[in-house]
Every structure is written in structure tokens, then in C-alpha cells.
Amino acid sequence: ETGDSSDVLAHPDRVTSVAVSPSGGCILTGCVDQKVRKWSAVPPYTLMEWECTLPLAEEDSKEDCKVGFLDDELFVVGYEKLFIMKVDDGSVFRSFKTEFETESTVRAITTMRPNSFLTGHQDGSIQEWDTNSDNCVHTFKDHSDHVQSIAKVNDLHFISGSNDHTFKLWNIQSKDCIRTFSGHTSAVDAVMYMPTRNTVLTGSDDENIKVWALNELISDVVIGE
């Protein structure tokens, strides 16, 4: 069955990222027109108070714009640059001094802990950022190609999907790659963790979605609980 055709969040160009606020109150979308749009998270999914344009790349270029919530009040957006933005009005809360070269632009964003988020990059690295200092506090390196997606598992673990056809499970405290999962024959563009079953879903350019069991690889105990 198909969904109601009226449930469409129309954009003028390719949509490159979607994020839902922790409370489920709104949706943010990133588009190659370098605009972030805020939408209602309930039908009819109308465009809310604002859409903002940011200098994420060279003017008139059409590049991926990635978004991720820090909390219900702030979100991160990035490509060649990183900004923390206010959810209520789309204004800049903080801009990071770091500018990424073409080969290391931001391809994925996810929040790990309060005041901490991760970015996946075109050079295969994953960077951990401290929002209090605006600094990159660690760089994870094990992928051999673009990191296309990142997802939080719990406060201690995260997963990443890459153009190298693999996804990886990481320990953010020890900074180790716990395991590399192979099985796709093309880029792993999307990863998602399902806590109720302790499994991972991956979507790939090979036109397959796979389900992976983490089993005893991670603990149910998370930092802060």
C-alpha cells in the first residue's frame, strides 16, 4: 500500500537529510539548496515558522546539507562548515571555526551525549565534537571510504555506515572499533539501531536492507544510568 499523497513535504531540490526532534514535535530537513526547513511533525506536515539559508559551501553550489538535533532547542547543521542553530527561529547560536576541505566534508551528523555530537566525513573519518569548547576531541579512523551514516546505539556505543560496503560498531569511551560487519556489495547509506531487539538495520546502494543482530557485543548498561 502507498501513503496518502497529501503527506508531502515539498522541496525545490534533492533532500539530503531528515531529523526528528527528541520530543517528536517537529521535523528538520536539509536540502542541496543549502536551506534547512522546519516542519510540523503531525499531519498535514506544514512548513512551520522558518526556513534558513546558510553559507555551508561556495555560493550557488549544490551540496549536501546535513542536520541533527542536539536537543529540542538546538540542532547542528553542516557541510564544509558547522553551525549550532536555534530550533525556535533558525538563527545561528554558534558557529565553529573549523572549515572542512572538499575531501573531508560532513556526510552525517548524530548526537551522542549532552554537549557532544558526531560527524561522519567524506575522507572516511568520524569526529567527536564538544559543544562547550567547539573543539573536535577525537577522530575515529577505520573506514576506507566516505562515512554516509551514523546512529547512536546507547551512551557508550554508536554505528557507522560507509561507501566501503561495511558498517562498524564503535565504543566511544575506549575509542575502539568493536567489530566490522560485511555483507553488502555497495555503499551502506543508512544505519538504524532497534533497541527492543538489539539489532541494526542497514540500507545500501545494492538495493538491499539487512537486519543484523548485535547479541552480546554491547551491554544493556549505559553511561549515566
Side-chain angles (χ1 to χ4, degrees):
E1 295 183 2
T2 59
D4 187 341
S5 61
S6 66
D7 296 343
V8 176
L9 281 62
H11 293 73
D13 213 320
R14 181 166 55 91
V15 177
T16 57
S17 60
V18 178
V20 180
S21 63
S23 66
C26 69
I27 299 168
L28 295 178
T29 55
C31 182
V32 295
D33 64 0
Q34 297 191 42
K35 288 186 177 181
V36 178
R37 293 170 173 86
K38 178 183 176 183
W39 307 82
S40 168
V42 296
Y45 306 107
T46 52
L47 184 65
M48 295 178 74
E49 296 88 351
W50 55 261
E51 61 180 32
C52 59
T53 302
L54 293 171
L56 296 174
E58 293 184 4
E59 188 175 357
D60 298 327
S61 66
K62 289 190 174 184
E63 303 294 352
D64 291 4
C65 173
K66 302 298 183 181
V67 294
F69 279 94
L70 286 176
D71 51 38
D72 282 319
E73 297 180 354
L74 298 172
F75 67 95
V76 183
V77 59
Y79 179 66
E80 290 178 354
K81 302 175 183 178
L82 281 172
F83 297 89
I84 296 179
M85 313 286 296
K86 295 181 180 179
V87 174
D88 60 349
D89 61 6
S91 62
V92 175
F93 178 76
R94 186 179 303 152
S95 59
F96 288 69
K97 295 180 180 179
T98 303
E99 293 191 19
F100 304 105
E101 300 295 331
T102 301
E103 66 274 7
S104 61
T105 51
V106 176
R107 309 296 298 177
I109 298 174
T110 197
T111 301
M112 276 302 294
R113 304 172 183 167
N115 304 316
S116 172
F117 66 94
L118 299 171
T119 53
H121 295 265
Q122 191 163 328
D123 62 4
S125 68
I126 299 168
Q127 296 186 4
E128 179 185 2
W129 297 86
D130 177 5
T131 60
N132 291 321
S133 65
D134 294 350
N135 291 327
C136 174
V137 295
H138 186 75
T139 298
F140 300 83
K141 292 184 178 180
D142 205 56
H143 283 295
S144 60
D145 209 334
H146 305 182
V147 174
Q148 296 286 67
S149 52
I150 311 173
K152 178 179 177 178
V153 173
N154 55 33
D155 283 354
L156 192 61
H157 302 93
F158 67 93
I159 49 178
S160 59
S162 170
N163 278 15
D164 63 11
H165 306 182
T166 72
F167 87 91
K168 296 177 183 288
L169 174 66
W170 303 81
N171 184 308
I172 198 168
Q173 190 173 60
S174 68
K175 313 302 182 187
D176 294 327
C177 175
I178 298 174
R179 183 171 172 180
T180 298
F181 295 79
S182 302
H184 284 292
T185 59
S186 192
V188 179
D189 296 317
V191 293
M192 184 181 76
Y193 177 66
M194 296 191 298
T196 56
R197 296 182 178 273
N198 196 23
T199 57
V200 173
L201 288 175
T202 55
S204 170
D205 284 356
D206 64 13
E207 302 180 1
N208 290 308
I209 294 175
K210 292 181 179 290
V211 182
W212 310 76
L214 294 186
N215 298 324
E216 74 283 353
L217 289 174
I218 65 169
S219 169
D220 291 333
V221 178
V222 296
I223 295 173
E225 291 193 350

